[in-house]
Amino acid sequence: MNKITAAITAVGGYVPDYVLTNQELEKLVDTTDEWILTRTGISERRILKGEGKGTSDICVPIALEICKKRGITPEEIDLLIVATVTPDMTFPATANVVTDKIGAKNAFGFDISAACSGFLYALDTGARFIESGRYQKVMVIGADKMSAIIDYTDRTTCIIFGDGGGGVLLEPNTEGYGVVDSILKSDGHGREYLHMKAGGSVKPATLETVQNREHYVYQEGKMVFKYAVSNMAEAANGILQRNNLNAENIAWLVPHQANKRIIAATAQYINLPEEKVMMNIHRYGNTTAGTIPLCLWDYEKQLKKGDNIIMAAFGGGFTWGASYIKWAYDGDKIGK
Ligand code: UT7
């Protein structure tokens, strides 16, 4: 019997309606549209507005779109994995909230916390459940409501992040389509440069932590940039070498959308021309675990059965990695 692989059989995505433009940020902090565009490539990002709305409200439309496209009901989902660093609550897992909200009565679920690499970690984890032969339909979503943990008085972070997410359905395949290989890495030393200071068990919330603005993303951008460029490029190159891939036989690079300069450096390192690199950072900014599936969602119509796709990410933790996917269907037949 042929080996079972985990094929991606549908993609969904969601971004909230509210558009936070660079011009609006110019009114909040000491910045300019020109600085943001040239240093990051971002023009606008989406913000989830409305009381009581959290990351699960980003996941629900994604999950329902995937079910609709694939022609299945939520009851058919066996497992839901949500990659996020902005869960609805510390516990229970956002995956549990989502399964309840969509009526996925037969699914179990859990969250994965790996910041901007979360989708890659979750995708590879989900693939193992499919490959085991015990599960038929595993949904993997990467989503973040970054506006919940961003300080809109800090010009070094508020210009980068946005809310949104995307997801995929994984199903068994015996023709070799799907998740072929992954390199996943982490180095906890990097937490020094990118973290949230309070709200965890080390420093629970107090009046003081709130007054000191410690419940927001803290980032030393220059250091993160340096590690992001070298690690993302190395992981992408590593997966190419291991699978005898090169610029000619790769159809697409799907890079985490943190900064267009990091994306360009990664593509350059593996000699990939710009037209093979997915990019939507200008419209959505950095949605953390959401960026890679949001790219797949935006580009789905252009994907063809058999395409070799490389995904690469770097983020808080530090976490980073790259995955090689063999695309399982013609996107123009089902894309948005
Ligand atoms: O996805 C998770 C992982 N995160 C990342 O991958 C982010 C990696 N880092 C970056 O993308 C970049 O480091 C940033 C976009 C965060 C910053 O860009 P940079 O080119 O590294 O700027 P910098 O931090 O070196 O700052 C250069 C100057 C500084 O002024 P001085 O000290 O030279 O006078 C900053 O104060 O730019 C200033 N600056 C700004 N100026 C206008 C920082 N933020 C802004 C701003 N508008 N928003």
Side-chain angles (χ1 to χ4, degrees), residues 181-183 237-245:
D181 194 13
S182 292
I183 293 175
N237 196 42
I239 210 92
L240 259 57
Q241 304 289 324
R242 216 152 82 172
N243 294 279
N244 297 317
L245 294 167

Side-chain angles (χ1 to χ4, degrees), residues 131-166:
E131 288 163 11
S132 75
R134 277 176 62 187
Y135 303 91
Q136 305 304 308
K137 289 184 172 48
V138 173
M139 195 176 279
V140 176
I141 294 178
D144 274 294
K145 183 191 169 187
M146 293 305 291
S147 61
I149 56 168
I150 291 301
D151 182 352
Y152 287 94
T153 66
D154 175 8
R155 70 174 182 174
T156 68
T157 51
C158 74
I159 53 136
I160 302 171
F161 294 97
D163 302 341

Side-chain angles (χ1 to χ4, degrees), residues 25 29-36 38-42 115-117 146 154-161 194 219-229 232 256-262 286-288 291 314-316 318-319:
L25 284 169
V29 290
D30 181 15
T31 193
T32 61
D33 173 45
E34 202 249 332
W35 191 95
I36 302 171
T38 51
R39 302 312 291 165
T40 69
I42 302 168
C116 302
S117 312
M146 293 305 291
D154 175 8
R155 70 174 182 174
T156 68
T157 51
C158 74
I159 53 136
I160 302 171
F161 294 97
L194 183 49
Q219 175 170 258
E220 292 180 29
K222 246 188 184 13
M223 286 303 282
V224 179
F225 188 94
K226 196 180 103 186
Y227 283 103
V229 166
M232 217 161 110
H256 168 53
Q257 311 278 304
N259 186 315
K260 76 163 187 206
R261 291 181 291 140
I262 300 174
N286 181 351
T287 55
T288 302
T291 62
F314 181 89
F318 289 140
T319 56

Side-chain angles (χ1 to χ4, degrees), residues 148-196:
I149 56 168
I150 291 301
D151 182 352
Y152 287 94
T153 66
D154 175 8
R155 70 174 182 174
T156 68
T157 51
C158 74
I159 53 136
I160 302 171
F161 294 97
D163 302 341
V168 298
L169 185 70
L170 296 176
E171 293 185 78
N173 184 279
T174 50
E175 295 167 294
Y177 294 102
V179 182
V180 181
D181 194 13
S182 292
I183 293 175
L184 300 175
K185 301 271 190 181
S186 64
D187 179 359
H189 173 252
R191 69 190 185 281
E192 185 184 336
Y193 308 113
L194 183 49
H195 60 265
M196 195 160 100

Side-chain angles (χ1 to χ4, degrees), residues 95-150:
N96 298 151
V97 181
V98 177
T99 51
D100 179 50
K101 285 186 174 177
I102 64 172
K105 291 189 176 65
N106 300 307
F108 73 108
F110 56 86
D111 291 358
I112 282 185
S113 173
C116 302
S117 312
F119 183 75
L120 290 191
Y121 276 43
L123 186 70
D124 209 51
T125 305
R128 297 293 95 75
F129 281 89
I130 293 289
E131 288 163 11
S132 75
R134 277 176 62 187
Y135 303 91
Q136 305 304 308
K137 289 184 172 48
V138 173
M139 195 176 279
V140 176
I141 294 178
D144 274 294
K145 183 191 169 187
M146 293 305 291
S147 61
I149 56 168
I150 291 301

